[in-house]
Amino acid sequence: MFNFLRSHQLGIMLFMEGICLATAFLTLITRNLPKAKKIAIFLLELNSALIMISSRFYYINKDATGDYAGIYLRIAKFFDYFFSFSIIYVMNLYIKDLNNEFKSKGLKGWKYNHLIIRLNDIIMITLTLILIVSQFTPFCYYFDANNVYHRTKGTFLFLIFLPAAIFLEAIFVISNHKILSPAVRIPLFLFIVIPFLATILQFTTFGIAFTAMSTSGTSVLLYVFVVQDTNREIERSHKLEVEMLERYKKKLEETVRKRTAELIIANQKAENLLLNILPVEIARELTENPNQTISKKYPNATVLFTDIVGFTKMSSEMTAEETVEMLNNMTQKFDERAKREGIEKIKTIGDSYMAATGLIEDANNDGAQRLIHFAQGLLEDVNEFNETSSHKVKIRIGVNTGPIVAGVIGKTKFIYDVWGDTVNVASRMETNGEPMQIHVSEATYKLTKDLFPYGKAVNVEVKGKGLMKSYFL
């Protein structure tokens, strides 16, 4: 086997030289490699190619004679050693980059690794100085008169320091084997062990560049594994990025769903609040056209007023809390009935309660009938209220039917109200009514006389109208 290597090693070295140069070029154009790794791998491949060149040059010309043969053989041997040391130094740069990654990730042991790296740098500087001294003195090697290479006793320094440097790199790999990925750990181990064994073999076997060839081969292998590891890291980063984007998307969708649900609830509350203030048609129109004046004419609306008899005297005998509580309880009963029977509450003013029906553009409506039925229910509510209240209440009710104008007044704290002669007459019906009686105008009477029993007509003095006929239910 050794004879085969001796006879073909020049061709093998030329082939490996080309492989290393090609790999160095590929390293430069590889985009995914981090800058520090790219520099270390490029220098490693370049030095591997250069050691092939110097070793091959030496073995081609080792039998040369002449005045200058000794000079360029000595130079070739110098670079043979120098590039061997340089490769180990560059490998130290690669290890230093790995340790920086450990430090950035907050992993333990990076300070211990840093000590190994610094010690290795010192060994490489020492070996280079010994090599320079040996170039000018026979400290480690010399060439005789026939240009034959001879080792001297100083060579043992190479045998001590060079394995020591490789051993330190091996310690780094072994101590961090759990942290390093297989794509990094395996080629590093091979790069350390194989050249180390090849160096020992080269010192025992003359004439074959074991160290140079093994170093070049493992450096190419290291490049392949580093690229694979980088690609895996990129794929892992992409997957992590996709997973993060998916999580962010789901979180965003969940947030949107929650906010949408909250917005729907808020809109529903706002709509319900608006419907508590305004009729449905008016609320819709106000929502669609907030800056538009809202006003409507209704040809045949029926308006109701109620008032508590003797409220002023009654409230003076009660505390403020009792007064408000009494009005609130009674108004709530009226509101609940209005909601059940589809009556439109207009407003409350003090102890007065105002409601209406027939707020549609069709004059032929049953608003008068429904409002009389509502008024009867209010009397029932008052009787029910009196059963549990310590303050007995009586109310007057007045009702009138006719055309009205309705609209929304104001931009802040707006109110929905109705106006017209019909409203004024309804108010007079209530004012001139009797306690716990329903007092209606002639207009309302004509619309409901066949549905409800009424007493005889009574004349009522209405301001601006004079005497008007009215009826008690």
Side-chain angles (χ1 to χ4, degrees):
M1 179 180 176
F2 291 160
N3 291 331
F4 174 82
L5 288 175
R6 282 192 182 93
S7 59
H8 293 86
Q9 74 170 330
L10 292 179
I12 294 172
M13 292 167 73
L14 181 63
F15 173 76
M16 296 187 72
E17 175 187 321
I19 293 294
C20 290
L21 289 173
T23 306
F25 175 74
L26 289 174
T27 303
L28 288 178
I29 63 175
T30 301
R31 295 182 178 180
N32 294 336
L33 282 176
K35 184 177 180 180
K37 275 194 177 72
K38 179 178 285 191
I39 292 173
I41 298 298
F42 170 74
L43 291 176
L44 186 64
E45 301 301 331
L46 182 62
N47 276 278
S48 298
L50 291 174
I51 197 174
M52 286 287 97
I53 293 172
S54 61
S55 294
R56 191 168 182 275
F57 179 83
Y58 173 78
Y59 281 103
I60 290 174
N61 297 281
K62 67 177 183 177
D63 297 325
T65 58
D67 295 335
Y68 298 102
I71 296 175
Y72 55 70
L73 283 175
R74 178 176 286 274
I75 293 173
K77 179 54 70 174
F78 171 81
F79 281 113
D80 196 21
Y81 279 112
F82 177 79
F83 289 132
S84 297
F85 303 157
S86 180
I87 286 172
I88 296 176
Y89 178 75
V90 171
M91 178 54 65
N92 216 37
L93 291 179
Y94 177 69
I95 290 174
K96 186 182 297 182
D97 178 65
L98 291 176
N99 194 50
N100 289 335
E101 290 182 5
F102 299 163
K103 182 180 178 181
S104 64
K105 293 177 181 178
L107 299 176
K108 296 180 179 180
W110 68 267
K111 292 183 179 180
Y112 172 73
N113 295 333
H114 183 69
L115 182 62
I116 293 175
I117 293 166
R118 290 294 299 273
L119 187 58
N120 221 347
D121 286 342
I122 294 172
I123 292 175
M124 288 300 100
I125 293 172
T126 304
L127 283 173
T128 302
L129 291 175
I130 293 172
L131 179 63
I132 293 171
V133 171
S134 299
Q135 184 68 7
F136 301 101
T137 65
F139 184 69
C140 291
Y141 62 86
Y142 69 93
F143 288 85
D144 61 18
N146 296 320
N147 296 324
V148 177
Y149 171 75
H150 296 278
R151 295 171 183 158
T152 62
K153 293 181 179 180
T155 307
F156 81 94
L157 293 176
F158 290 163
L159 292 173
I160 293 174
F161 287 112
L162 196 58
I166 297 173
F167 179 71
L168 287 173
E169 292 179 348
I171 290 176
F172 174 86
V173 176
I174 294 170
S175 61
N176 297 283
H177 73 281
K178 292 182 179 179
I179 303 173
L180 296 170
S181 65
V184 175
R185 185 172 64 245
I186 293 173
L188 270 178
F189 179 77
L190 294 176
F191 187 87
I192 292 169
V193 173
I194 293 176
F196 179 73
L197 296 176
T199 301
I200 295 175
L201 189 61
Q202 183 166 328
F203 272 98
T204 58
T205 306
F206 290 95
I208 304 176
F210 287 114
T211 302
M213 288 189 286
S214 63
T215 301
S216 300
T218 51
S219 66
V220 173
L221 185 66
L222 181 64
Y223 165 78
V224 174
F225 274 82
V226 167
V227 171
Q228 287 181 345
D229 182 63
T230 302
N231 290 337
R232 287 194 192 96
E233 286 292 330
I234 292 173
E235 289 177 6
R236 193 179 298 113
S237 298
H238 286 170
K239 287 181 181 178
L240 181 61
E241 184 178 357
V242 170
E243 289 176 1
M244 290 178 64
L245 288 174
E246 285 294 330
R247 286 197 296 269
Y248 177 75
K249 179 183 175 184
K250 290 180 180 178
K251 186 176 180 181
L252 184 61
E253 289 175 349
E254 183 63 26
T255 301
V256 170
R257 280 196 294 270
K258 288 182 179 178
R259 296 295 180 269
T260 303
E262 291 172 359
L263 183 61
I264 291 173
I265 293 172
N267 287 339
Q268 189 64 48
K269 288 180 178 178
E271 185 177 348
N272 291 338
L273 180 61
L274 201 59
L275 291 175
N276 285 333
I277 301 172
L278 306 173
V280 175
E281 181 183 354
I282 300 298
R284 185 181 300 112
E285 188 172 346
L286 184 62
T287 302
E288 294 175 356
N289 304 286
N291 296 320
Q292 182 176 328
T293 300
I294 308 297
S295 62
K296 293 284 184 180
K297 287 184 178 181
Y298 300 115
N300 193 32
T302 302
V303 180
L304 173 146
F305 279 92
T306 71
D307 197 4
I308 297 176
V309 178
F311 176 74
T312 303
K313 181 180 179 182
M314 183 184 300
S315 62
S316 65
E317 297 173 353
M318 296 189 297
T319 64
E321 289 79 6
E322 289 174 335
T323 302
V324 172
E325 183 180 4
M326 181 194 72
L327 288 175
N328 185 50
N329 291 338
M330 188 178 301
T331 300
Q332 283 184 4
K333 286 181 176 293
F334 292 175
D335 286 346
E336 289 171 3
R337 181 173 294 277
K339 185 176 182 180
R340 287 197 306 270
E341 298 184 12
I343 306 300
E344 195 67 55
K345 174 187 175 182
I346 303 300
K347 61 183 175 180
T348 58
I349 303 175
D351 63 318
S352 178
Y353 188 92
M354 181 182 181
T357 56
L359 301 178
I360 56 176
E361 295 179 358
D362 185 6
N364 297 318
N365 62 73
D366 62 349
Q369 174 189 341
R370 292 193 297 113
L371 201 59
I372 294 299
H373 186 271
F374 174 69
Q376 291 176 322
L378 294 184
L379 295 177
E380 293 176 4
D381 289 339
V382 171
N383 289 328
E384 183 182 329
F385 173 81
N386 288 333
E387 290 177 1
T388 57
S389 175
S390 58
H391 302 283
K392 307 306 177 185
V393 174
K394 293 183 179 181
I395 64 172
R396 292 187 296 266
I397 300 176
V399 181
N400 183 36
T401 303
I404 64 170
V405 174
V408 177
I409 301 299
K411 288 295 181 184
T412 59
K413 296 185 178 179
F414 54 81
I415 61 169
Y416 176 74
D417 209 347
V418 293
W419 304 272
D421 188 58
T422 301
V423 178
N424 295 332
V425 172
S427 178
R428 295 297 180 270
M429 292 298 107
E430 180 271 317
T431 304
N432 293 284
E434 297 293 335
M436 300 304 286
Q437 293 288 315
I438 300 172
H439 191 198
V440 304
S441 67
E442 186 176 13
T444 304
Y445 169 77
K446 289 179 179 179
L447 293 173
T448 60
K449 64 182 180 179
D450 297 331
L451 302 172
F452 300 97
Y454 288 98
K456 293 181 179 181
V458 293
N459 292 323
V460 176
E461 180 70 32
V462 176
K463 186 178 180 180
K465 291 283 189 177
L467 289 176
M468 293 184 65
K469 285 185 178 182
S470 62
Y471 300 83
F472 284 95
L473 190 68

